[in-house]
Amino acid sequence: MYSEMKVGDLVRNKRHPHAGIGVVVKLMAMEPGYQGRWSCAIAVFPDHGEQIIYRDEAEIINESR
């Protein structure tokens, strides 16, 4: 499920649910050799702006496709 996340998906941070629902704007691999899989993403949240969300924190609410 994690590798299927794409830019435009709506996400919630399971560890910080008070942030609400954000929109993924960028996927990033933080380790070399991690090709094709993201380790964190940048999502924009209405009241908190751009925030990093890590794989184990991400809950996809609505896929963009």
Side-chain angles (χ1 to χ4, degrees):
M1 180 164 141
Y2 297 122
S3 62
E4 296 178 16
M5 184 181 287
K6 297 199 187 290
V7 170
D9 286 351
L10 299 179
V11 293
R12 182 183 345 238
N13 187 325
K14 292 186 279 188
R15 291 194 183 140
H16 304 286
H18 61 278
I21 296 174
V23 178
V24 175
V25 294
K26 183 177 181 180
L27 300 174
M28 300 183 304
M30 295 182 70
E31 300 176 19
Y34 219 62
Q35 299 166 348
R37 304 216 39 204
W38 62 278
S39 56
C40 68
I42 302 292
V44 176
F45 293 87
D47 294 333
H48 300 281
E50 288 187 357
Q51 300 288 317
I52 293 175
I53 185 168
Y54 295 95
R55 291 179 65 186
D56 61 342
E57 300 173 338
E59 176 185 357
I60 299 173
I61 301 300
N62 187 21
E63 295 179 354
S64 62
R65 52 217 169 278

